[in-house]
Amino acid sequence: RDFIAVTDVSPGGASDRAGLKVGDLLFRINGEGFKTALDADLILRRRQTGKTIVYEALRNNEQLRLNVTLARFGMPLALLILSLSGMIMMGAGGFIALKRPRIRAARVVGLALLMCGFFIATVSIRRDVNVDLFVGARDLLVGVSLIGGAAIAMRSIAFFPKERPDLLSRRWIPWVGGAIVIGTLTFSLLKQQVLAGAGMALLFIFYVVVHLVYRKGATAEQRKMGRLVNWAWGALGLYLVGVIVYQAIAGPNSIGLNAVAFLGLLVLVVTLSYLYVIGRYRLLDLNLRIRRNIQYSLVSVVWGILIANVLVN
């Protein structure tokens, strides 16, 4: 029989009030079986709030029937932080690309932020009951935005903060990167998620190797200007690798909401690093100047959101 292991129960929530505990094995909801946590979530979302449903679970080899009264569906603060961070990244990317469409570096950086932000903002708020044409098309765009956005962001090192003739002259680099993207998208469409994940890892490794091999082609000024953005992306990438490894060891539902909120803050840091570098060095023919009191206010807001998320969860 298929089941999911309960790894987290929100205190005071509907499941907690019904007596569900961490470690229980949930195998049926209102008489319906499921194979994954997503299938179980789909069953719940089809039910009306205020109605009572029955959880069938195992605890210490004892079968339980728990009556759960569905409360309202809401968005946890952590997911809201992640979604808003993605929207801010989208907004920044759209602003950069539309403000200076004739500058190639602005188009590349703007498109990278736009696509990555779209993936982050969309994937954190999906609550689909039925899979229709719209949902299928959106999920396709989400996959394209993840893989394509990551590839463009990595390729942007040839354009930002300054164009790198040494990288631009080696035309095999985007061709190899494009081939990996096409292969990864193909595996994703064929539902071969392991191979698609391997493709993403290969894409990341390829551009890291390219960056390291040709790092001496960047001038001291270029390295100085790009350091903050590189550190921001590096922190986000290492954190994602850590999350993936931890989930592989501890299970797919082992990441808590605080980890999701921290991911959202790292996404925001990446966006702000671009805006800071552009404003600090007056890149892309843009004059982005934020007064110091506004900078302090932004930092205070981010810190307040982080503290609120910790207290709520």
Side-chain angles (χ1 to χ4, degrees):
R1 125 184 350 170
D2 295 315
F3 63 88
I4 58 173
V6 179
T7 59
D8 182 53
V9 178
S10 300
S15 298
D16 183 42
R17 294 195 302 270
L20 194 68
K21 299 183 180 299
V22 174
D24 290 350
L25 304 179
L26 188 63
F27 61 89
R28 246 192 317 263
I29 298 176
N30 249 25
E32 295 186 56
F34 44 81
K35 293 185 177 181
T36 66
L38 292 177
D39 294 335
D41 188 52
L42 184 62
I43 295 173
L44 289 175
R45 283 185 270 129
R46 286 174 176 162
R47 305 299 171 184
Q48 294 181 352
T49 59
K51 301 294 184 180
T52 300
I53 61 175
V54 178
Y55 280 179
E56 295 182 55
L58 288 176
R59 182 186 300 161
N60 299 325
N61 294 323
E62 180 183 355
Q63 186 166 332
L64 305 174
R65 290 175 60 88
L66 306 174
N67 295 319
V68 181
T69 301
L70 293 179
R72 60 182 176 83
F73 283 118
M75 175 180 285
L77 181 58
L79 290 181
L80 181 61
I81 294 172
L82 182 61
S83 179
L84 288 177
S85 297
M87 293 178 186
I88 292 172
M89 179 175 278
M90 283 180 62
F95 170 79
I96 293 171
L98 294 176
K99 195 71 174 178
R100 294 293 182 266
R102 295 183 180 181
I103 300 177
R104 181 164 56 169
R107 295 196 302 269
V108 173
V109 171
L111 184 59
L113 293 179
L114 190 62
M115 294 181 72
C116 291
F118 174 78
F119 169 77
I120 294 166
T122 304
V123 77
S124 58
I125 59 175
R126 288 187 298 177
R127 301 288 295 181
D128 307 310
V129 175
N130 297 309
V131 179
D132 52 20
L133 179 61
F134 172 79
V135 172
R138 187 209 56 200
D139 288 346
L140 176 62
L141 288 176
V142 168
V144 171
S145 67
L146 169 62
I147 301 169
I152 296 173
M154 295 173 191
R155 176 59 177 165
S156 68
I157 63 174
F159 301 93
F160 186 86
K162 296 287 186 179
E163 287 197 358
R164 295 273 305 275
D166 59 317
L167 294 178
L168 295 175
S169 64
R170 291 171 170 82
R171 299 186 179 277
W172 59 270
I173 294 177
W175 280 102
V176 173
I180 298 175
V181 167
I182 292 174
T184 304
L185 283 173
T186 302
F187 288 131
S188 180
L189 291 174
L190 295 176
K191 306 298 183 181
Q192 301 294 322
Q193 301 305 327
V194 174
L195 294 176
M200 285 293 295
L202 179 61
L203 182 67
F204 176 75
I205 293 171
F206 170 70
Y207 275 105
V208 167
V209 170
V210 167
H211 182 68
L212 292 176
V213 170
Y214 296 104
R215 67 185 183 279
K216 293 183 179 179
T219 65
E221 181 188 21
Q222 289 173 332
R223 288 195 291 270
K224 178 182 178 182
M225 289 190 293
R227 186 174 295 125
L228 181 61
V229 171
N230 292 336
W231 276 105
W233 276 115
L236 179 60
L238 288 175
Y239 184 75
L240 287 174
V241 170
V243 167
I244 292 171
V245 171
Y246 182 80
Q247 285 188 315
I249 297 174
N253 299 315
S254 56
I255 299 299
L257 291 177
N258 286 332
V260 175
F262 189 69
L263 175 61
L265 292 177
L266 286 178
V267 171
L268 183 60
V269 167
V270 170
T271 305
L272 294 178
S273 70
Y274 275 99
L275 297 178
Y276 174 80
V277 170
I278 292 172
R280 172 69 175 80
Y281 299 103
R282 299 180 182 273
L283 302 175
L284 308 180
D285 197 25
L286 290 171
N287 184 18
L288 302 180
R289 290 293 180 183
I290 302 177
R291 288 182 296 179
R292 192 171 299 275
N293 61 330
I294 298 179
Q295 296 177 23
Y296 289 147
S297 298
L298 289 174
V299 172
S300 299
V301 169
V302 172
W303 180 252
I305 292 174
L306 179 61
I307 295 299
N309 180 73
V310 172
L311 293 176
V312 168
N313 294 296

